[in-house]
Coordinates of all heavy atoms in Angstrom, one line a residue:
G1 N 165.1 -24.5 53.6 CA 166.3 -24.1 54.4 C 166.3 -22.6 54.7 O 166.8 -22.1 55.7
V2 N 165.8 -21.8 53.7 CA 165.8 -20.3 53.9 C 165.0 -19.9 55.1 O 165.3 -19.1 55.9 CB 165.3 -19.7 52.6 CG1 165.1 -18.2 52.9 CG2 166.2 -19.9 51.5
I3 N 163.8 -20.6 55.3 CA 162.9 -20.2 56.4 C 163.2 -20.9 57.7 O 162.6 -20.5 58.7 CB 161.4 -20.4 56.0 CG1 161.2 -21.8 55.6 CG2 161.1 -19.5 54.7 CD1 159.7 -22.1 55.3
T4 N 164.0 -22.0 57.7 CA 164.2 -22.7 58.9 C 165.6 -22.5 59.4 O 165.9 -22.9 60.5 CB 164.0 -24.2 58.6 OG1 164.8 -24.7 57.6 CG2 162.5 -24.5 58.3
A5 N 166.5 -21.9 58.6 CA 167.9 -21.7 59.1 C 168.0 -20.7 60.2 O 167.3 -19.7 60.2 CB 168.8 -21.2 57.9
R6 N 168.7 -21.0 61.3 CA 168.9 -20.1 62.4 C 169.9 -19.0 62.2 O 169.8 -17.9 62.7 CB 169.3 -20.9 63.6 CG 168.3 -22.0 64.1 CD 168.8 -22.7 65.3 NE 167.7 -23.6 65.8 CZ 166.7 -23.3 66.7 NH1 166.6 -22.0 67.1 NH2 165.9 -24.2 67.0
N7 N 170.8 -19.2 61.3 CA 171.8 -18.2 61.0 C 171.4 -17.5 59.7 O 171.1 -18.1 58.7 CB 173.2 -18.9 60.8 CG 174.3 -17.9 60.7 OD1 174.1 -16.7 60.5 ND2 175.5 -18.4 61.0
P8 N 171.3 -16.1 59.8 CA 170.9 -15.4 58.6 C 171.9 -15.6 57.4 O 171.4 -15.6 56.2 CB 171.0 -13.9 59.0 CG 170.8 -14.0 60.5 CD 171.5 -15.2 60.9
V9 N 173.2 -15.8 57.6 CA 174.1 -16.0 56.5 C 173.8 -17.4 55.9 O 173.8 -17.5 54.6 CB 175.5 -16.0 57.1 CG1 176.5 -16.3 55.9 CG2 175.9 -14.6 57.7
H10 N 173.5 -18.4 56.7 CA 173.1 -19.7 56.1 C 171.8 -19.5 55.3 O 171.6 -20.2 54.2 CB 172.9 -20.7 57.2 CG 174.2 -21.0 57.9 ND1 174.2 -21.7 59.1 CD2 175.5 -20.7 57.6 CE1 175.5 -21.9 59.5 NE2 176.3 -21.2 58.6
A11 N 170.8 -18.7 55.7 CA 169.6 -18.5 55.0 C 169.9 -17.9 53.6 O 169.3 -18.3 52.6 CB 168.7 -17.6 55.8
V12 N 170.8 -16.9 53.6 CA 171.1 -16.3 52.3 C 171.8 -17.3 51.4 O 171.5 -17.3 50.2 CB 172.1 -15.1 52.6 CG1 172.6 -14.5 51.2 CG2 171.3 -14.0 53.3
L13 N 172.7 -18.1 51.9 CA 173.3 -19.2 51.1 C 172.3 -20.2 50.6 O 172.4 -20.7 49.4 CB 174.4 -19.9 51.9 CG 175.6 -19.0 52.3 CD1 176.6 -19.8 53.1 CD2 176.3 -18.4 51.0
Y14 N 171.3 -20.5 51.4 CA 170.2 -21.4 50.9 C 169.5 -20.8 49.8 O 169.1 -21.4 48.8 CB 169.3 -21.8 52.1 CG 169.7 -22.9 52.9 CD1 169.9 -22.8 54.3 CD2 170.0 -24.2 52.3 CE1 170.3 -23.8 55.1 CE2 170.4 -25.3 53.1 CZ 170.6 -25.1 54.5 OH 171.0 -26.1 55.3
L15 N 169.2 -19.4 49.9 CA 168.5 -18.7 48.8 C 169.3 -18.7 47.5 O 168.8 -18.8 46.4 CB 168.2 -17.3 49.3 CG 167.3 -16.5 48.4 CD1 166.0 -17.2 48.2 CD2 167.0 -15.1 49.0
V16 N 170.6 -18.6 47.6 CA 171.5 -18.7 46.5 C 171.4 -20.0 45.8 O 171.3 -20.2 44.6 CB 173.0 -18.4 46.9 CG1 173.9 -18.7 45.7 CG2 173.1 -16.9 47.3
Q17 N 171.4 -21.1 46.6 CA 171.2 -22.4 46.1 C 169.9 -22.6 45.4 O 169.8 -23.3 44.4 CB 171.4 -23.4 47.3 CG 171.4 -24.9 46.8 CD 171.7 -25.8 48.0 OE1 172.0 -25.4 49.1 NE2 171.7 -27.1 47.7
A18 N 168.8 -22.0 46.0 CA 167.5 -22.1 45.3 C 167.5 -21.4 44.0 O 166.9 -21.9 43.0 CB 166.4 -21.5 46.3
F19 N 168.2 -20.2 43.9 CA 168.3 -19.5 42.6 C 169.0 -20.4 41.6 O 168.7 -20.4 40.4 CB 168.9 -18.2 42.8 CG 168.0 -17.1 43.4 CD1 168.6 -16.1 44.2 CD2 166.7 -17.2 43.2 CE1 167.7 -15.2 44.8 CE2 165.8 -16.2 43.7 CZ 166.4 -15.2 44.5
V20 N 170.1 -21.0 42.0 CA 170.9 -21.8 41.0 C 170.0 -23.0 40.5 O 170.0 -23.3 39.3 CB 172.2 -22.3 41.7 CG1 172.9 -23.3 40.8 CG2 173.1 -21.2 42.0
G21 N 169.3 -23.6 41.4 CA 168.4 -24.7 41.0 C 167.3 -24.2 40.1 O 166.9 -24.9 39.1
S22 N 166.8 -23.0 40.3 CA 165.7 -22.4 39.5 C 166.3 -22.1 38.1 O 165.7 -22.3 37.0 CB 165.2 -21.2 40.1 OG 164.6 -21.4 41.3
A23 N 167.6 -21.7 38.1 CA 168.2 -21.4 36.8 C 168.4 -22.7 36.0 O 168.2 -22.7 34.7 CB 169.6 -20.8 37.0
G24 N 168.7 -23.8 36.7 CA 168.7 -25.1 36.0 C 167.4 -25.5 35.4 O 167.3 -26.1 34.3
L25 N 166.3 -25.2 36.1 CA 164.9 -25.5 35.6 C 164.6 -24.7 34.3 O 164.0 -25.1 33.4 CB 163.9 -25.2 36.7 CG 163.9 -26.2 37.9 CD1 162.9 -25.8 38.9 CD2 163.7 -27.6 37.4
W26 N 165.1 -23.4 34.3 CA 164.9 -22.6 33.2 C 165.7 -23.2 32.0 O 165.2 -23.1 30.8 CB 165.4 -21.1 33.4 CG 164.5 -20.3 34.2 CD1 164.7 -19.8 35.5 CD2 163.2 -19.8 33.8 NE1 163.6 -19.0 35.9 CE2 162.7 -19.0 34.9 CE3 162.4 -20.0 32.7 CZ2 161.4 -18.4 34.8 CZ3 161.2 -19.4 32.6 CH2 160.7 -18.6 33.6
L27 N 166.9 -23.7 32.2 CA 167.6 -24.3 31.1 C 167.0 -25.5 30.6 O 167.0 -25.8 29.4 CB 169.0 -24.6 31.6 CG 170.0 -23.5 32.0 CD1 171.3 -24.0 32.5 CD2 170.2 -22.6 30.8
L28 N 166.3 -26.3 31.4 CA 165.6 -27.4 30.9 C 164.4 -27.0 30.0 O 164.0 -27.8 29.1 CB 165.0 -28.3 32.1 CG 166.1 -29.1 32.9 CD1 165.4 -29.9 34.0 CD2 166.7 -30.1 31.9
M29 N 163.8 -25.9 30.3 CA 162.7 -25.4 29.4 C 163.2 -24.6 28.2 O 162.4 -23.9 27.6 CB 161.8 -24.5 30.3 CG 161.0 -25.3 31.3 SD 159.8 -24.4 32.2 CE 160.8 -23.3 33.2
E30 N 164.5 -24.7 27.9 CA 165.1 -24.0 26.8 C 165.0 -22.5 26.9 O 164.9 -21.8 25.9 CB 164.6 -24.5 25.5 CG 164.8 -26.0 25.2 CD 164.3 -26.5 23.9 OE1 163.8 -25.6 23.1 OE2 164.5 -27.6 23.5
A31 N 165.0 -22.0 28.1 CA 165.0 -20.6 28.3 C 166.4 -20.2 28.9 O 166.6 -19.8 30.1 CB 163.9 -20.2 29.3
E32 N 167.4 -20.3 28.0 CA 168.8 -20.1 28.5 C 169.0 -18.6 29.0 O 169.8 -18.4 29.9 CB 169.8 -20.4 27.3 CG 169.8 -21.9 26.9 CD 168.7 -22.2 25.9 OE1 168.0 -21.2 25.5 OE2 168.6 -23.3 25.5
F33 N 168.4 -17.7 28.3 CA 168.6 -16.3 28.7 C 168.1 -16.0 30.1 O 168.8 -15.4 30.9 CB 167.9 -15.4 27.7 CG 168.0 -13.9 28.0 CD1 169.1 -13.2 27.8 CD2 166.9 -13.3 28.6 CE1 169.2 -11.9 28.1 CE2 167.0 -11.9 28.9 CZ 168.1 -11.2 28.6
L34 N 166.9 -16.5 30.4 CA 166.4 -16.3 31.7 C 167.2 -17.0 32.8 O 167.4 -16.5 33.9 CB 164.9 -16.8 31.8 CG 163.9 -16.0 30.9 CD1 162.6 -16.6 31.1 CD2 163.9 -14.5 31.3
G35 N 167.7 -18.2 32.5 CA 168.6 -18.9 33.4 C 169.9 -18.2 33.7 O 170.3 -18.0 34.9
I36 N 170.5 -17.7 32.6 CA 171.8 -16.9 32.8 C 171.6 -15.6 33.5 O 172.4 -15.2 34.4 CB 172.4 -16.7 31.4 CG1 172.8 -18.1 30.8 CG2 173.6 -15.8 31.5 CD1 173.3 -18.0 29.4
V37 N 170.5 -14.9 33.2 CA 170.2 -13.7 33.9 C 169.9 -13.9 35.4 O 170.3 -13.1 36.3 CB 169.0 -13.0 33.3 CG1 168.5 -11.8 34.1 CG2 169.4 -12.4 31.9
L38 N 169.2 -15.0 35.7 CA 169.0 -15.3 37.1 C 170.3 -15.6 37.9 O 170.4 -15.1 39.0 CB 168.1 -16.6 37.2 CG 167.6 -17.0 38.6 CD1 166.7 -15.9 39.2 CD2 166.8 -18.3 38.5
V39 N 171.2 -16.2 37.3 CA 172.5 -16.5 37.9 C 173.3 -15.2 38.0 O 173.9 -14.8 39.1 CB 173.3 -17.6 37.2 CG1 174.7 -17.7 37.8 CG2 172.5 -18.9 37.3
L40 N 173.4 -14.4 36.9 CA 174.3 -13.3 36.9 C 173.7 -12.1 37.8 O 174.5 -11.5 38.6 CB 174.5 -12.8 35.5 CG 175.2 -13.7 34.5 CD1 175.3 -13.1 33.2 CD2 176.6 -13.9 35.1
V41 N 172.4 -11.9 37.7 CA 171.8 -10.7 38.4 C 171.6 -11.0 39.8 O 172.0 -10.3 40.7 CB 170.5 -10.3 37.7 CG1 169.9 -9.1 38.5 CG2 170.9 -9.8 36.3
Y42 N 170.8 -12.1 40.1 CA 170.4 -12.4 41.5 C 171.6 -13.0 42.3 O 171.9 -12.6 43.4 CB 169.2 -13.3 41.5 CG 167.9 -12.5 41.1 CD1 167.5 -12.5 39.8 CD2 167.2 -11.9 42.1 CE1 166.3 -11.8 39.5 CE2 166.1 -11.2 41.8 CZ 165.6 -11.1 40.5 OH 164.5 -10.4 40.2
V43 N 172.2 -14.1 41.7 CA 173.2 -14.8 42.5 C 174.5 -13.9 42.5 O 175.1 -13.8 43.5 CB 173.5 -16.2 41.9 CG1 174.6 -16.9 42.6 CG2 172.2 -17.0 42.0
G44 N 174.9 -13.4 41.4 CA 176.1 -12.7 41.3 C 176.1 -11.3 41.8 O 177.2 -10.7 42.1
A45 N 175.0 -10.7 42.0 CA 174.9 -9.3 42.4 C 174.0 -9.1 43.6 O 174.5 -8.7 44.7 CB 174.4 -8.4 41.2
V46 N 172.7 -9.4 43.5 CA 171.8 -9.1 44.5 C 172.1 -9.9 45.8 O 172.1 -9.4 46.9 CB 170.3 -9.3 44.0 CG1 169.3 -9.1 45.2 CG2 170.0 -8.4 42.9
M47 N 172.3 -11.2 45.6 CA 172.5 -12.0 46.8 C 173.8 -11.8 47.5 O 173.9 -11.9 48.7 CB 172.3 -13.5 46.5 CG 170.9 -13.9 46.0 SD 169.6 -13.2 47.0 CE 170.1 -13.8 48.6

């Protein structure tokens, strides 16, 4: 969705969704710190 979205705002929101899903994968691998940092830093600040 990031590379196919016509609206740049929609592309950014798709990227936020990808980061949230990646954080869930980190949690499954018992890497809670990396998952929380991914949400707080990238989703909460950078994006």
Side-chain angles (χ1 to χ4, degrees):
V2 172
I3 60 177
T4 57
R6 295 183 177 274
N7 192 338
V9 178
H10 294 169
V12 173
L13 294 177
Y14 275 123
L15 189 56
V16 170
Q17 189 174 354
F19 282 148
V20 173
S22 300
L25 294 177
W26 282 114
L27 293 177
L28 284 180
M29 292 186 291
E30 296 185 1
E32 295 87 3
F33 176 76
L34 295 178
I36 294 174
V37 167
L38 185 62
V39 173
L40 293 180
V41 175
Y42 283 93
V43 177
V46 177
M47 295 314 304

